[in-house]
Amino acid sequence: MKKRIVILGGGESGVGTALLALSKGYEVFVSDFGEIKEKYKEVLIDNAIEWEEKQHTEDKILNADLVVKSPGIPDKAPIVQKLLAKGIEVISEIEFAFGFNDNLSVGITGSNGKTTTTLLTYHILKQAGLDVGLAGNIGDSYAAQVKDHPEKCYVLELSSFQLDGIRDYRPHIAVITNISPDHLDRYDYKYEKYIDAKFRITMNQTEEDYLIYDYDDVEIQKWLDKNQVKANKVPFSLSHKLEEGVYVEDQNIIVNMNNEKIVLAINEIAIEGKHNVKNAMAATTIAQLKRIRKETIRESLSNFQGAEHRLEKVLKLDNVQYINDSKATNVNATFFALDSMKTPTVWIVGGVDKGNDYDELMPLVREKVKCIICLGVDNSKIKSAYENVVDVLVETDSMEAAVKKAHELAESGDTVLLSPACASFDLFKSYEDRGHQFKEVVLSL
């Protein structure tokens, strides 16, 4: 009897999982409660995979041997609750594909910095000639890539939602870049549940594996004080000199591990800002564990382009720098963005608030921000936090209006920063859509 696998969600990860499952002899059914994009429908049809959209037919779902669900579908969804009540295992694409991946991966999670750290790690390992892939919360489906290349070591960017769906997944090297409140709506507004989800990345690691983490992060330290971890712990820090680990001294990153010392100049790193020093520290630690030559690491850090929508310099016009930081969907990410501003800033902020505490940004807003442009359907929280702090605060409800207002308000020597601190779904399809619209309008000024 063929095992029946049901895949909930017909996007990148769902269709990739369907292809891998088909190649492994499963009977496959894909069900999406929304609409499936044309490009994914074509793949399903070409491979004769049964699928449905705009509904979940229970008769075809509740008879599954195994269910893989998209990270976007919460556990509270009625169909998921019914599956769990029947005792049917519901896992993530990461968990399913891991079983067919011959090489243990590098897994990277965190509230912020995980995309940049993942891209930078992949960049270094690839420049060093290693057989690596890039997947997870970024790029092409992990499962689809494992189908064609089970031998590769994959660098995986992992969200808490993806980690919620793992059982046996075990990365050889795990990274937690940092932890700050995010997605709390998915965790019953309990911060500790979200923190526990992040630490699932290390739950199956053994004494042969490594956990790289931010030593300066209070929540990470608190969790590690209370819980046992089998993996070798490798901390990195901006403010403490570490006996074993990675730290900063005299404008250099010092990698001090296994009785070896590497010194890398911070001013040679292509991406700017304190948070990017941390991302570089994490990526460098991975490279060192993978025994990459120091020269290759140095070269890779200096020629890395950075992630799109993360402090991305778009254009300098009339001596005003326009920066796209649309990926900043929480307060902590925006904190790093504002902290790295060197000139008076016109700040475009707003969107779907995930329970933000805007007081955290107050010192930076007072010091750096001259005007605030709200870009959202409901800006009341931002207004009440800052309207007495800055001279100018205006509301807009389209990217075109926001950018044109910023262009009007900015003077020579200023920076216009899109760093929303919020999700994008009130006015945009995604943070990428928001970032692309920003760039389009800026480039048409």
Side-chain angles (χ1 to χ4, degrees):
M1 271 289 283
K2 272 190 174 185
K3 266 192 154 185
R4 180 172 171 81
I5 187 169
V6 170
I7 295 154
L8 299 179
E12 182 65 32
S13 83
V15 173
T17 303
L19 293 173
L20 175 60
L22 189 68
S23 75
K24 298 298 174 189
Y26 283 82
E27 179 193 332
V28 185
F29 178 58
V30 175
S31 174
D32 196 312
F33 203 64
E35 258 182 82
I36 297 177
K37 283 184 184 167
E38 279 308 315
K39 65 172 180 176
Y40 295 128
K41 279 185 197 171
E42 281 170 27
V43 174
L44 295 169
I45 292 162
D46 288 348
N47 288 277
I49 293 166
E50 195 188 348
W51 58 275
E52 66 174 1
E53 62 179 353
K54 300 181 190 168
Q55 61 183 359
H56 285 321
T57 306
E58 291 188 8
D59 295 352
K60 292 185 171 185
I61 294 173
L62 298 177
N63 62 356
D65 295 303
L66 177 66
V67 172
V68 175
K69 79 168 177 69
S70 151
I73 301 170
D75 287 342
K76 296 185 184 89
I79 194 69
V80 179
Q81 287 296 311
K82 284 178 182 170
L83 286 162
L84 296 173
K86 280 196 78 171
I88 297 168
E89 193 174 16
V90 180
I91 59 171
S92 66
E93 174 206 11
I94 303 300
E95 176 68 15
F96 181 69
F98 165 72
F100 304 104
N101 188 184
D102 306 335
N103 211 326
L104 287 180
S105 66
V106 175
I108 297 167
T109 195
S111 303
N112 296 301
K114 58 182 181 291
T115 303
T116 301
T117 303
T118 303
L119 288 169
L120 181 52
T121 300
Y122 174 69
H123 177 68
I124 298 171
L125 300 186
K126 197 152 176 61
Q127 281 214 340
L130 268 61
D131 192 12
V132 285
L134 175 73
N137 211 22
I138 191 172
D140 299 329
S141 154
Y142 175 44
Q145 292 186 68
V146 166
K147 172 182 152 296
D148 296 329
H149 296 286
E151 75 290 346
K152 282 189 179 184
C153 167
Y154 288 88
V155 182
L156 300 177
E157 180 193 326
L158 300 171
S159 69
S160 55
F161 302 162
Q162 286 166 316
L163 292 168
D164 285 332
I166 65 166
R167 304 289 174 270
D168 300 316
Y169 168 70
R170 168 194 162 204
H172 174 48
I173 300 172
V175 179
I176 302 179
T177 56
N178 53 48
I179 295 180
S180 63
D182 201 0
H183 304 299
L184 297 189
D185 46 339
R186 276 278 285 261
Y187 294 97
D188 306 322
Y189 294 95
K190 292 194 171 86
Y191 193 17
E192 60 277 12
K193 278 192 176 180
Y194 170 67
I195 295 168
D196 287 343
K198 288 292 187 196
F199 272 97
R200 288 174 69 81
I201 198 167
T202 187
M203 72 181 187
N204 297 312
Q205 287 191 298
T206 70
E207 291 84 355
E208 293 165 16
D209 302 319
Y210 296 89
L211 173 65
I212 298 166
Y213 65 95
D214 183 350
Y215 185 86
D216 306 332
D217 191 293
V218 178
E219 296 300 345
I220 292 178
Q221 284 292 11
K222 276 200 309 211
W223 195 95
L224 288 172
D225 287 344
K226 286 187 209 146
N227 298 275
Q228 283 299 121
V229 168
K230 281 188 182 164
N232 295 289
K233 293 191 286 191
V234 188
F236 61 88
S237 172
L238 284 180
S239 47
H240 298 84
K241 188 172 176 175
L242 301 168
E243 289 293 313
E244 184 86 0
V246 187
Y247 59 93
V248 168
E249 193 173 62
D250 302 330
Q251 287 303 297
N252 290 311
I253 292 174
I254 315 288
V255 185
N256 196 12
M257 284 157 59
N258 310 328
N259 300 318
E260 278 184 67
K261 209 175 201 178
I262 296 182
V263 180
L264 300 157
I266 287 172
N267 65 6
E268 287 177 23
I269 300 172
I271 45 178
E272 296 167 20
K274 274 186 209 161
H275 58 301
N276 278 325
V277 174
K278 289 196 172 198
N279 297 334
M281 289 165 116
T284 302
T285 310
I286 296 165
Q288 178 66 349
L289 290 170
K290 288 276 187 190
R291 294 270 171 249
I292 305 300
R293 285 174 58 245
K294 183 168 75 174
E295 279 318 305
T296 306
I297 297 174
R298 183 172 284 136
E299 212 172 276
S300 304
L301 290 174
S302 69
N303 64 22
F304 175 64
Q305 291 300 305
E308 192 182 12
H309 312 298
R310 172 61 90 214
L311 285 174
E312 178 190 9
K313 288 178 178 169
V314 179
L315 180 72
K316 202 164 200 180
L317 181 67
D318 305 330
N319 201 30
V320 174
Q321 179 70 61
Y322 290 80
I323 294 179
N324 167 26
D325 193 43
S326 181
K327 201 169 191 304
T329 59
N330 57 40
V331 164
N332 189 258
T334 293
F335 182 95
F336 285 122
L338 288 173
D339 191 42
S340 66
M341 291 299 110
K342 308 262 195 309
T343 60
T345 301
V346 176
W347 176 32
I348 303 174
V349 56
V352 180
D353 186 296
K354 304 184 210 169
N356 287 350
D357 176 4
Y358 290 107
D359 282 353
E360 289 175 36
L361 300 174
M362 196 61 80
L364 288 170
V365 173
R366 286 184 196 282
E367 183 194 342
K368 314 255 187 178
V369 176
K370 59 185 275 186
C371 313
I372 288 178
I373 296 168
C374 299
L375 175 60
V377 172
D378 178 8
N379 305 305
S380 50
K381 255 177 96 172
I382 298 167
K383 278 167 66 182
S384 63
Y386 302 127
E387 60 190 344
N388 299 321
V389 179
V390 292
D391 294 338
V392 181
L393 185 147
V394 292
E395 291 192 78
T396 57
D397 59 6
S398 75
M399 186 57 81
E400 191 174 6
V403 172
K404 288 192 168 158
K405 195 70 198 165
H407 179 58
E408 226 174 88
L409 293 167
E411 298 166 295
S412 177
D414 290 352
T415 300
V416 172
L417 171 70
L418 169 70
S419 188
C422 296
S424 55
F425 305 117
D426 56 346
L427 296 171
F428 307 94
K429 292 192 197 87
S430 60
Y431 76 79
E432 292 99 334
D433 175 40
R434 177 169 64 190
H436 287 139
Q437 286 197 33
F438 176 75
K439 291 198 279 188
E440 264 172 44
V441 182
V442 167
L443 293 169
S444 72
L445 285 172

